[in-house]
Amino acid sequence: MLRLELLTPPDRALSVLAIGAHPDDIEIGAGGMLLSLAARQSCLLAHYVVLTGSAERQLEARNAAGAFLPNADLTVELHDLPEGRLPGCYSRVKDLLHDVARTFLPDLIIAPQLDDAHQDHRTIAEIVPTVFRDQFCLGYEIPKWDGDFGRPATYIPMSDEVARQKVELLHKCFPSQTSRDWWDDEIFLGLARLRGMECRARYAEAFTCPKSVIRC
Ligand SMILES: [Zn+2]
């Protein structure tokens, strides 16, 4: 299959907005993509927004952003909206994202996907396209008890090295989560292997892509 490539704009850094409901969402869903981008892009401008989290979890999120995006020009924006209640904070979330959009219109947005079973993730997915009307957006997937995996349309292959680095960093950056019964190497690498098989790579992360424009 023809492979499309994210190229650095000739006159400026590639800009990325990563949005998560909870600390660790971005890294679970797109950590491999971030590591790959950070390794390949000499110039990367990144803005992180995480909407919920205790002080302990916010510290984890801040450290993780730096670990997954080494050398990026990085801004980390952390909020403490109530976890599990983002549907009731719809206007607040929309306002926060409009605040970001006033100064930062990125080349690429990574955010939860619309058919995610978690209400916090889904709320963000609903709001993102109402704020960022003309941005390329990829929706990441997060394993969960609800079992909401679908048929993603876009794949980003990961090298063995990146896949294993992603898992190592997840363990290292989010010690508060390692006791969860689903948090282990097999879940993370198993999903990556499955998505890799689907795009004829060893490992991959998969995304929904609501809209894309291809110039021929
Ligand atoms: Zn989450």
Side-chain angles (χ1 to χ4, degrees):
M1 181 179 287
L2 180 66
R3 299 201 167 201
L4 307 177
E5 193 170 347
L6 277 174
L7 297 175
T8 306
D11 53 343
R12 59 179 174 79
L14 182 76
S15 55
V16 180
L17 171 62
I19 306 171
H22 316 111
D24 75 20
D25 285 354
I26 295 168
E27 293 80 5
I28 292 173
M33 174 169 62
L34 295 180
L35 287 168
S36 300
L37 278 177
R40 280 194 51 239
Q41 301 281 335
S42 55
C43 234
L44 189 63
L45 183 63
H47 191 113
Y48 245 61
V49 179
V50 179
L51 290 163
T52 74
S54 62
E56 177 195 17
R57 298 278 281 138
Q58 287 186 340
L59 182 61
E60 290 181 341
R62 189 175 295 282
N63 290 337
F68 278 83
L69 285 169
N71 306 320
D73 182 351
L74 175 65
T75 304
V76 179
E77 184 180 324
L78 304 173
H79 300 279
D80 58 358
L81 296 177
E83 184 177 346
R85 298 288 186 275
L86 288 192
C89 304
Y90 191 97
S91 291
R92 182 75 183 121
V93 174
K94 191 167 164 66
D95 287 345
L96 288 171
L97 294 183
H98 273 296
D99 287 346
V100 174
R102 266 188 273 282
T103 58
F104 191 62
L105 289 174
D107 298 306
L108 167 66
I109 297 174
I110 55 174
Q113 54 185 262
L114 200 54
D115 47 5
D116 193 299
H118 193 294
Q119 66 273 20
D120 291 349
H121 302 173
R122 204 166 53 244
T123 299
I124 294 172
E126 287 172 8
I127 293 173
V128 164
T130 73
V131 174
F132 298 94
R133 307 295 302 278
D134 192 27
Q135 259 68 41
F136 179 55
C137 184
L138 293 175
Y140 54 74
E141 57 184 358
I142 297 181
K144 61 180 68 67
W145 292 314
D146 313 75
D148 61 358
F149 284 155
R151 296 181 68 184
T154 302
Y155 294 84
I156 299 186
M158 285 187 284
S159 67
D160 284 29
E161 183 187 4
V162 167
R164 293 180 191 285
Q165 186 185 6
K166 171 184 173 177
V167 177
E168 281 173 23
L169 285 177
L170 285 173
H171 294 319
K172 183 178 170 193
C173 295
F174 298 103
S176 71
Q177 303 302 294
T178 54
S179 61
R180 288 177 179 265
D181 56 12
W182 57 269
W183 183 287
D184 62 36
D185 291 19
E186 288 180 314
I187 287 289
F188 297 129
L189 287 176
L191 174 60
R193 179 73 189 98
L194 179 70
R195 293 316 192 192
M197 178 272 293
E198 292 171 354
C199 69
R200 301 201 136 174
R202 182 68 189 170
Y203 294 109
E205 289 171 337
F207 301 84
T208 57
C209 179
K211 186 195 279 188
S212 58
V213 178
I214 298 175
R215 187 172 61 194
C216 294

